[in-house]
Amino acid sequence: MNTEALISIIEKTDSYKRFGKVTRVVGLMIESEGPAANIGEVCYIHTSTNDGNLILAEVVGFQNEKIILMPYREVNEVGSGCLVEATGNPLMVKVGRSLIGHVLDPLGKPLSDSESLPKGLTRYQTERKPPNPLSRPTIRQPLQIGVRAIDGFLSMGIGQRVGLFAGSGVGKSTLLGMIARNSNADVNVIALIGERGREVREFIEHDLGEEGLKKSIIVAATSDQPALMRIRGAYTATAISEYFREQGFNVNLMMDSVTRVAMAQREIGLAVGEPPTTKGYTPSVFSILPKLLERAGTDEKGSITGFYTVLVDGDDMNEPIADAVRGILDGHIVLDRKIAERGQYPAINVLKSISRVMNVIATDEHKQIATGLRTLLATYEENNELISIGAYKKGTNPEVDLAVSSYPKIVSFLKQGVYEQVSFEETIQMMRNLVE
């Protein structure tokens, strides 16, 4: 670097450190007079205890020339007049290949107090723009999911984004664990947003297992953490996935759940004065969803295949968040409570689910077999009441006769043990055998 460049940097450098001061704290919100900062910028709040303990907070809005901050953790030691220091930067996390196998918090730090971050990591910004639409290669290659119902009837492509729609307790976490273990992606990045505290360890030990953890990075933000931390969990997991995509990896990004991200944004929106709209959700909720979900997908170097779970209240598939997410993603997989109640796991309702890229990535033979079996399932469901009460007489309709005889075999194909591993080729062969 030459002398002129160094002099230019010195001239631009501000030799003063500027502070603001806290004027008001209301609920989730901290109001400060100064310093100059932008939306999304991270600030330090110097606590009144003067023990050198700094509280991280983020600028979320402005009101009457004052800045509105939200802290990343619960705060009791903030008082009127506490100093606020701007960092000049948005939230950054450290990323790298050595993170694989680790469990992190939304700020990218190890969740366990006994662990420390590996060395040789790169600093990476959590909020980034989605790739340019014209720079996204089209999805042409199928991705092995390792779940027969999905590989057979709802084939997914490398770089596709799909929603898992279900009520509570229908098996979303178990299905995510199966995908993480059985899929042939290079890396899994799993975001557990708004989960109960006990469920994090349960998911890691039971659903994911040692085999799944070996190629996974987990970002956990539990339900007791502030709304901002829950949102940051989603952004941090997406940023880590983007880093691996830039390295040329095929990444599985699994987020459980998008609904809790939307609820956290609603909390923030209401706190800064946004008007509530549909079911109390603020306009900012519906603006951040496409920005977050569009960051997954393909680019010139690698891909992020997205699996986003959506909690549907009272199994209502048309509630606002489910409706918005379904319109953004490239397909939806519906987990049905009625199917789960009769002991069929994973409880995927293939008739209500769709993969928007299956027609592009599947072979003609595969599509033909899947359509035929789907037709048999639909025929059985249409006549289910007549069959159940014994009102249907065999021989009345050849199509219904075939559906009745095939139904137990199709259901047996759709059932799969939690630790049962099946390759894509084995799934197609099993479907051929069903048809024959």
Side-chain angles (χ1 to χ4, degrees):
M1 192 179 283
N2 58 33
T3 312
E4 286 181 11
L6 285 170
I7 291 168
S8 173
I9 291 168
I10 292 165
E11 284 174 350
K12 289 175 185 175
T13 303
D14 190 351
S15 57
Y16 291 92
K17 191 178 274 190
R18 290 173 171 80
F19 294 91
K21 64 176 182 178
V22 173
T23 56
R24 195 163 71 120
V25 178
V26 180
L28 306 171
M29 187 178 70
I30 297 171
E31 204 173 88
S32 165
E33 195 172 324
N38 301 322
I39 292 280
E41 194 172 313
V42 174
C43 293
Y44 294 127
I45 300 174
H46 295 253
T47 60
S48 52
T49 53
N50 291 322
D51 57 359
N53 189 20
L54 300 176
I55 293 168
L56 275 177
E58 188 177 304
V59 179
V60 294
F62 302 95
Q63 197 169 43
N64 299 330
E65 297 184 10
K66 291 183 179 177
I67 67 171
I68 299 169
L69 299 151
M70 276 197 176
Y72 286 125
R73 63 177 175 86
E74 295 295 336
V75 291
N76 300 315
E77 56 268 42
V78 173
S80 180
C82 283
L83 294 179
V84 179
E85 179 187 345
T87 63
N89 295 308
L91 182 66
M92 309 279 279
V93 294
K94 291 184 176 179
V95 295
R97 294 189 192 187
S98 51
L99 278 183
I100 296 172
H102 285 72
V103 184
L104 310 173
D105 71 5
L107 303 180
K109 296 172 183 172
L111 201 61
S112 171
D113 296 330
S114 59
E115 283 186 32
S116 58
L117 281 176
K119 292 181 179 177
L121 300 176
T122 309
R123 284 174 66 80
Y124 208 72
Q125 191 174 318
T126 58
E127 282 206 46
R128 306 169 70 85
K129 289 182 179 178
N132 186 306
L134 295 180
S135 72
R136 290 180 184 264
T138 52
I139 297 167
R140 296 289 180 200
Q141 284 181 287
L143 174 74
Q144 175 186 297
I145 302 299
V147 177
R148 283 196 294 263
I150 298 175
D151 283 340
F153 289 90
L154 309 160
S155 299
M156 287 188 60
I158 294 173
Q160 187 178 350
R161 300 158 306 139
V162 70
L164 304 177
F165 292 75
S168 54
V170 186
K172 295 187 302 299
S173 298
T174 307
L175 180 57
L176 285 182
M178 286 175 73
I179 295 169
R181 286 193 312 275
N182 300 346
S183 164
N184 61 357
D186 302 316
V187 185
N188 299 312
V189 180
I190 304 167
L192 303 175
I193 311 297
E195 290 286 330
R196 302 172 192 89
R198 70 167 179 82
E199 285 184 337
V200 174
R201 189 161 181 174
E202 271 186 20
F203 177 82
I204 294 165
E205 291 181 1
H206 301 298
D207 297 327
L208 193 60
E210 258 185 70
E211 190 186 335
L213 188 59
K214 281 178 187 173
K215 64 170 189 175
S216 302
I217 300 167
I218 297 169
V219 180
T222 51
S223 57
D224 58 303
Q225 290 183 302
L228 197 60
M229 279 290 263
R230 281 174 267 147
I231 288 177
R232 283 293 146 229
Y235 279 93
T236 297
T238 307
I240 293 169
S241 303
E242 286 170 324
Y243 168 81
F244 281 101
R245 179 173 64 187
E246 282 181 11
Q247 304 297 311
F249 287 84
N250 291 325
V251 186
N252 277 351
L253 170 61
M254 305 179 191
M255 194 174 292
D256 186 13
S257 71
V258 172
T259 310
R260 293 193 181 113
V261 175
M263 287 174 174
Q265 182 60 37
R266 176 173 63 183
E267 281 181 49
I268 292 172
L270 292 172
V272 298
E274 279 191 76
T277 53
T278 320
K279 275 203 174 178
Y281 288 104
T282 55
S284 62
V285 173
F286 300 101
S287 70
I288 71 151
L289 282 175
K291 287 177 189 172
L292 178 64
L293 303 178
E294 282 290 342
R295 286 169 64 180
T298 55
D299 74 359
E300 299 102 328
K301 296 173 183 172
S303 70
I304 300 172
T305 307
F307 298 87
Y308 300 93
T309 70
V310 182
L311 260 171
V312 287
D313 291 333
D315 297 324
D316 175 18
M317 295 302 297
N318 296 314
E319 61 101 30
I321 299 304
D323 216 29
V325 170
R326 195 164 48 235
I328 298 165
L329 298 177
D330 310 318
H332 52 272
I333 296 170
V334 177
L335 301 183
D336 197 320
R337 195 175 296 279
K338 287 180 183 175
I339 292 175
E341 283 168 356
R342 61 177 184 241
Q344 181 184 322
Y345 286 99
I348 297 170
N349 188 327
V350 295
L351 297 177
K352 289 183 179 177
S353 307
I354 191 167
S355 168
R356 290 179 182 164
V357 302
M358 183 172 174
N359 283 337
V360 179
I361 60 167
T363 62
D364 290 338
E365 183 203 14
H366 181 185
K367 285 185 279 188
Q368 196 175 347
I369 293 171
T371 303
L373 293 176
R374 193 185 277 263
T375 304
L376 289 173
L377 269 178
T379 304
Y380 185 89
E381 291 294 333
E382 281 169 18
N383 297 277
N384 188 27
E385 287 184 17
L386 290 174
I387 297 163
S388 299
I389 61 173
Y392 175 76
K393 289 182 181 178
K394 192 177 179 182
T396 308
N397 185 328
E399 285 182 15
V400 178
D401 289 345
L402 182 59
V404 171
S405 62
S406 305
Y407 186 73
K409 295 170 189 173
I410 296 172
V411 168
S412 176
F413 168 79
L414 293 173
K415 279 185 183 178
Q416 187 172 336
V418 175
Y419 296 101
E420 186 183 347
Q421 292 190 337
V422 188
S423 71
F424 193 85
E425 292 74 21
E426 285 173 334
T427 297
I428 305 303
Q429 187 55 49
M430 289 172 84
M431 290 175 80
R432 284 195 197 103
N433 297 343
L434 269 178
V435 171
E436 288 166 6

